[in-house]
Amino acid sequence: TGRPTRLTGSLQDITERHEADARLAASEQRHRRIVETSAQGIVMVAADGIIAFANARIAALLGTTPAAIVGRRFREFIEPDQLAAIDERRARRVPGVTDTYDIRLARDGGDSVLAEITAMPLRDAGGESEGTLLMISDVTLRRQAEEARARLAAIVESSRDAIASWTREGIVQTWNSAAERMYGYSAAEMIGQGIATIVPAERVSSHLGSVEATLRGDVVAVETVRRRKDGTIVDVSLTYSPVLDRDGQVSAVSSIARDISAQKRLEASLRDAEAQLRHAQKMEAIGALAGGIAHDFNNLLSVMLSSAGLIEDALDAQDPIVEDARAIREAAERAATLTRQLLAFSRRQVLEPRVVNLDKTIGGMEKVLRRLLGERIQLVIVPSRAANVVI
């Protein structure tokens, strides 16, 4: 219209608001990056059980994508045989309290993964429930390692051999049940104490030598002795082995000990039996030699006896030579008695059952036996007072 027009308006400084929005956007971006790059799977489950958010880690854990997870119920990913246990646990859960448990989740492809889940309740500003935040970790390998360690511990604990370990300084760290039985010390008594407690004073030097070799990385096997709590000594077959840390350095020493006391007693018995066998073989050889000599000597004595008898018969009773011939005959008869004893000792005498007096027969062999046995063995003959017997 050609007339002047006046415009009015107002200005408002929104710099701070823009800066706040930028900071909020940056914070949200940082939080999103943290959630997306987290080593744990993160799932937000709404109050109705529908998954509202899933990060890349849980998607990788389940073998799928976040988009394929969102909108589904979390129960769909739980192995069917565990649903009843999960429902029972949820029924006992205290509202508003964080809960942690293990559960096996089904992966796309048919296999499964053992997961540790921490469930944290989510609430809005008014205190109303918005659902649950799940922090999920793959613990398959960790649980397998824990089970392997548990099995190993069970094997060590159930072993019949005494198994112990101690630090480089000799302080006991582990002590199994067999060690308690063998040495008499309980685990509570020995853990924290020096391993030298069970080492006799005279074996400390050899023990330290074995430990030094083990700390250099060697495996040392020895037979030695150890002292029980009651002071008695036990023979053991002992193996020292190095215990390595994560860097491959020897950090401790372990030992496996087996009670060989019964074996040592058996070995001693065998040595005694072998000595007795050698002695018996020696006596058998002596007997064989004595029998051979006695047999030949008996033939000579037969000639002497016959000749002495003929001389006695041929001479007059008053002839002084008769006494000499009689002496020869009597000496030959005594010698013949000795040869019969030697033959009996060697078991080469022909058996002719006859009535004999045991005391008289044994007494007649005393001198021969004493010479055979020697001075180191004392021969004691006890009268039997037995009647005559037929042998």
Side-chain angles (χ1 to χ4, degrees):
T1 59
R3 290 183 297 179
T5 302
R6 183 170 59 184
L7 299 174
T8 60
S10 64
L11 297 175
Q12 184 177 3
D13 187 357
I14 61 173
T15 302
E16 291 184 1
R17 187 173 68 187
H18 275 287
E19 290 176 351
D21 290 343
R23 287 194 297 271
L24 179 61
S27 176
E28 290 178 351
Q29 187 65 26
R30 283 195 301 272
H31 290 162
R32 180 173 291 277
R33 284 198 302 269
I34 291 173
V35 170
E36 288 298 338
T37 60
S38 173
Q40 285 186 306
I42 299 176
V43 174
M44 189 175 73
V45 181
D48 58 2
I50 302 298
I51 297 175
F53 172 82
N55 72 345
R57 175 56 184 161
I58 186 59
L61 194 63
L62 296 176
T64 184
T65 63
I69 297 175
V70 174
R72 298 170 62 181
R73 292 184 176 276
F74 187 71
R75 290 175 62 88
E76 297 177 30
F77 296 97
I78 300 175
E79 288 284 349
D81 61 344
Q82 299 191 50
L83 288 173
I86 293 299
D87 290 339
E88 183 181 351
R89 188 182 187 93
R90 185 179 291 112
R92 296 198 309 268
R93 185 184 303 163
V94 178
V97 177
T98 299
D99 189 19
T100 300
Y101 51 90
D102 286 356
I103 189 173
R104 189 164 292 280
L105 300 178
R107 291 168 48 89
D108 280 1
D111 57 345
S112 62
V113 60
L114 182 64
E116 180 184 75
I117 296 181
T118 299
M120 297 175 288
L122 294 176
R123 297 188 181 281
D124 59 17
E128 295 295 325
S129 175
E130 289 187 330
T132 306
L133 181 66
L134 304 180
M135 307 294 291
I136 304 173
S137 301
D138 182 358
V139 293
T140 304
L141 297 179
R142 187 202 310 172
R143 293 293 184 264
Q144 289 175 348
E146 290 173 353
E147 291 174 1
R149 285 195 295 270
R151 285 194 298 270
L152 180 60
I155 292 172
V156 170
E157 194 61 25
S158 62
S159 173
R160 296 178 62 183
D161 294 333
I163 301 176
S165 66
W166 57 90
T167 65
R168 296 178 66 93
E169 293 74 28
I171 303 302
V172 175
Q173 294 178 310
T174 60
W175 192 261
N176 74 340
S177 297
E180 293 182 331
R181 294 190 297 271
M182 181 181 294
Y183 299 120
Y185 291 97
S186 67
E189 290 175 304
M190 283 302 298
I191 293 177
Q193 302 301 315
I195 190 63
T197 301
I198 61 171
V199 181
E202 69 276 10
R203 299 300 177 100
V204 170
S205 177
S206 61
H207 164 73
L208 293 177
S210 297
V211 171
E212 288 176 3
T214 306
L215 291 175
R216 293 194 297 268
D218 298 334
V219 175
V220 181
V222 297
E223 286 189 2
T224 183
V225 296
R226 288 294 179 260
R227 184 178 58 237
R228 294 188 178 99
K229 183 178 180 179
D230 60 6
T232 59
I233 298 299
V234 55
D235 293 292
V236 295
S237 172
L238 191 60
T239 301
Y240 298 84
S241 300
V243 178
L244 306 181
D245 59 18
R246 292 182 178 179
D247 298 325
Q249 301 299 313
V250 179
S251 61
V253 175
S254 69
S255 68
I256 300 177
R258 176 167 296 181
D259 185 350
I260 58 173
S261 301
Q263 177 183 330
K264 288 293 185 181
R265 288 193 296 269
L266 179 59
E267 290 174 355
S269 299
L270 289 175
R271 286 194 297 269
D272 291 342
E274 289 174 356
Q276 292 174 5
L277 176 60
R278 286 193 296 271
H279 180 70
Q281 291 172 337
K282 185 187 299 182
M283 295 301 293
E284 183 179 358
I286 292 174
L289 177 62
I293 294 174
H295 182 74
D296 293 339
F297 190 54
N298 197 46
N299 293 334
L300 297 175
L301 289 175
S302 297
V303 176
M304 294 173 64
L305 285 169
S306 299
S307 299
L310 291 173
I311 292 172
E312 282 187 87
D313 294 340
L315 294 175
D316 186 81
Q318 302 301 322
D319 194 321
I321 299 178
V322 171
E323 292 297 327
D324 294 333
R326 184 179 295 113
I328 293 171
R329 179 177 56 78
E330 291 175 353
E333 288 175 348
R334 288 195 298 272
T337 301
L338 290 176
T339 59
R340 285 195 298 272
Q341 292 173 355
L342 287 174
L343 287 170
F345 175 75
S346 66
R347 299 185 184 275
R348 291 193 173 187
Q349 186 178 33
V350 177
L351 295 178
E352 297 178 355
R354 63 186 184 278
V355 178
V356 298
N357 183 284
L358 289 180
D359 289 339
K360 184 177 179 180
T361 301
I362 294 173
M365 298 180 66
E366 180 177 357
K367 292 182 180 180
V368 177
L369 291 174
R370 288 189 186 280
R371 285 195 294 271
L372 287 173
L373 295 176
E375 297 179 354
R376 291 185 303 171
I377 299 177
Q378 182 182 6
L379 176 64
V380 178
I381 297 178
V382 179
S384 65
R385 297 190 179 90
N388 294 339
V389 296
V390 177
I391 60 172

